[in-house]
Amino acid sequence: MEALVDRQLRGQGTEEAEWLGWPAWKAVAGVDAARLVPEGHRAVMVAPHPDDEVLAVGGLLSCCAALGREVAMVAVTDGTASHPRSSEWPPERLAKERPLESSRAWRCLGLGDSQAIRLGIPDGGVAGEAARLAARLGEIFTPRDVVFTTWRLDGHPDHEATAKASIEAAARCGARLVEVPVWGWHWARPAEPHWPWSRMRRVALDADTVRRKRQAVACFASQLQPDRSTGAPPILLDSTVARAARDFEVVFA
Ligand SMILES: [Zn+2]
């Protein structure tokens, strides 16, 4: 099936107005943090790159922490390949700065006490390290975990490889797994036939959580500015930032 779906990430992708204007939203079932991560369970977010955790489920994880749930963050890569050929953002600077940006963002969301685990897998090379990643995740996951990760058809190779390794490791240890679209919003359009509509759940965010998530997204300075050395535009597109300002998040439960 995967090969039949065009998941190329081009331009600004599907406009946020097109998604928000989609009338079928009313039929999407809601779920909240307390039900997704029941008492006694731990929320574990497996992020391919530093910022995916906030873009995907920053609000939901913030609600988990407010409920007193344990939260752990697994950074698969340090995101060092975001600025090819850049003298402003060489890989060694990104390796230091991007994890710091994530930590600042987590503090905005009340997630400063979350456990942070960095796996140091090369950015852009997750698929080639899939077996090692699944083995490492198998050491981290426990049966009481609810694992969040990017969607298996998200469109970015690192996101899809991270999803597959997480699915494999979670199934082996009996942890529950929830996929979350990040780039999927970009390549897909409303009524996309490969979107898992029946698993789609909407998590409403209150005004304070939305505000804190916006502040958290603003912490990713390396991803929000044009690169003066190469002339490349910001990595996080306007459409991505607009989606992160929604008063809800979507998961595939
Ligand atoms: Zn990413």
Side-chain angles (χ1 to χ4, degrees), residues 14-25 185 190 202 242-243 245-248:
T14 305
E15 289 286 338
E16 177 66 348
E18 187 177 339
W19 278 113
L20 294 183
W22 178 57
W25 278 118
W185 297 107
R202 180 174 166 136
R243 281 197 298 275
R246 289 175 179 170
D247 61 357
F248 63 93

Side-chain angles (χ1 to χ4, degrees), residues 49 52 159 183:
H49 312 106
D52 288 317
H159 286 213
W183 284 103

Side-chain angles (χ1 to χ4, degrees), residues 78-93:
D78 288 333
T80 54
S82 63
H83 292 67
R85 298 171 302 281
S86 173
S87 58
E88 187 179 3
W89 289 102
E92 27 324 335
R93 184 178 177 204

Side-chain angles (χ1 to χ4, degrees), residues 47-52 55 77 98 123 150 154 156 158-159 182-183:
H49 312 106
D51 70 7
D52 288 317
L55 297 171
T77 79
R98 294 199 66 186
D123 187 1
T150 41
D154 212 32
H156 187 300
D158 283 350
H159 286 213
V182 176
W183 284 103

Side-chain angles (χ1 to χ4, degrees), residues 109-150:
L109 291 162
L111 294 163
D113 294 334
S114 315
Q115 187 190 1
I117 304 161
R118 288 169 58 196
L119 301 185
I121 286 177
D123 187 1
V126 179
E129 300 273 355
R132 184 161 73 96
L133 174 58
R136 285 290 287 116
L137 294 174
E139 294 162 3
I140 294 164
F141 295 168
T142 72
R144 71 179 181 97
D145 289 340
V146 180
V147 176
F148 296 88
T149 191
T150 41

